[in-house]
Amino acid sequence: MVKRKWHKVLYMDQGVPDNYVDKSFLDEMKKNVNTRTYELWSVIRETGVVSQQLSSICFFVVIFIYMDSAVLTPSHLLTVSSIITVLGYILYDLVDWGAERRKSQRSRAADVKTTLIFMTFTYGLSPILQTLTDTISTDTIYAMTVFMLLGSLLFHDYGTDAIVASRSLSLNASVFASVCLASRLPTSMHTFATVTLAMQLFALWPELRRKLKRQLPNCQYIMTWGSASIALASLLSISTSAGVCFALVHLAITYLVPLCLISLQPYKNNIHGPWDEAVIQH
């Protein structure tokens, strides 16, 4: 008697249980169909965005410590940060020769108007922001600041499609942290300078970084090591241990994590076959 060939259907009575499969069932199995292979230097370049954001946070905290200890005055901070912001604004347009501006149809006058409105409102609200947390203890303020800065680092948009990434949430956490720290400074001018610096570091600087990375990919290494060097130098000026910790974290993010990812890549083994759920093809 010739044995009938088994078919992978349920509407035929083949004389076997519904959950029966024969040896041909595994012939359709495929391994690592959609697995992406990473290259070491490509991963190292991409980790730069994490180091850059971490460097910005460390630099912001150091500036607060400088102002709190009267090493840095708010007028000097505003002068230097404003000059750097203007230079960054010019560079933002020069990178693509104004192509993005022409596409968005946004004029420089509109940018100046937005800046003046922000500066006016921030300066006017500075006395309120300075006394906003008077009834909260300093320890609580510092704890809230740590959590907010960690949230800014966690939810920052690093250029991925991850659901957790949120530019607005990251920026709001950074601004909230700046308000918490600014409330512990002596004058409203200190508060104004601190909040302004937060907007420059956590709103404007990331936008310039994204555009430079998109238009000039090779400058990613310069931005990463430039930001890390400035943050490291500033941390070493107040604490050697903090500088060493930052250097170790930076090296781990830049080199150790990519090396671990590449070394574990050969062990990745995803299997696909007829047991997968059906996907509707459009």
Side-chain angles (χ1 to χ4, degrees), residues 28 43 76 118 150 184 210 212 216 237 248 250:
E28 300 180 34
V43 178
H76 288 158
F118 167 77
L150 287 176
R184 288 303 177 262
R210 292 187 190 100
L212 288 172
L216 303 171
S237 66
L248 293 175
H250 171 70

Side-chain angles (χ1 to χ4, degrees), residues 68-219:
D68 188 43
S69 57
V71 175
L72 178 66
T73 63
S75 58
H76 288 158
L77 175 61
L78 286 171
T79 301
V80 175
S81 62
S82 297
I83 293 173
I84 295 176
T85 301
V86 171
L87 294 176
Y89 179 78
I90 296 173
L91 178 61
Y92 189 87
D93 267 356
L94 288 178
V95 169
D96 62 351
W97 300 105
E100 185 174 333
R101 177 179 298 281
R102 290 191 296 271
K103 184 178 179 180
S104 63
Q105 297 182 346
R106 182 175 179 83
S107 64
R108 290 183 176 83
D111 292 338
V112 173
K113 179 181 177 181
T114 302
T115 303
L116 291 176
I117 292 175
F118 167 77
M119 299 291 282
T120 302
F121 272 92
T122 304
Y123 184 78
L125 293 174
S126 292
I128 300 175
L129 296 177
Q130 185 194 2
T131 59
L132 192 63
T133 59
D134 277 350
T135 58
I136 304 176
S137 66
T138 301
D139 291 341
T140 302
I141 288 295
Y142 289 160
M144 291 169 59
T145 301
V146 170
F147 281 113
M148 289 299 104
L149 291 178
L150 287 176
S152 172
L153 186 64
L154 176 64
F155 294 106
H156 184 71
D157 183 8
Y158 296 107
T160 65
D161 297 328
I163 300 177
V164 71
S166 173
R167 294 186 186 182
S168 58
L169 182 57
S170 176
L171 177 59
N172 287 335
S174 303
V175 173
F176 184 80
S178 71
V179 172
C180 289
L181 292 179
S183 65
R184 288 303 177 262
L185 294 174
T187 67
S188 58
M189 184 58 70
H190 285 79
T191 303
F192 174 63
T194 303
V195 176
T196 303
L197 177 66
M199 294 301 297
Q200 291 166 334
L201 283 177
F202 303 119
L204 302 180
W205 171 228
E207 288 298 325
L208 179 58
R209 293 200 321 252
R210 292 187 190 100
K211 191 168 186 179
L212 288 172
K213 181 185 175 184
R214 186 171 59 251
Q215 299 292 333
L216 303 171
N218 291 331
C219 74

Side-chain angles (χ1 to χ4, degrees), residues 54 58 61-62 65 228 231-250:
L54 180 62
C58 292
V61 173
V62 170
I65 295 174
L232 178 60
S234 59
L235 285 170
L236 287 174
S237 66
I238 60 173
S239 172
T240 303
S241 58
V244 172
C245 288
F246 171 79
L248 293 175
V249 171
H250 171 70

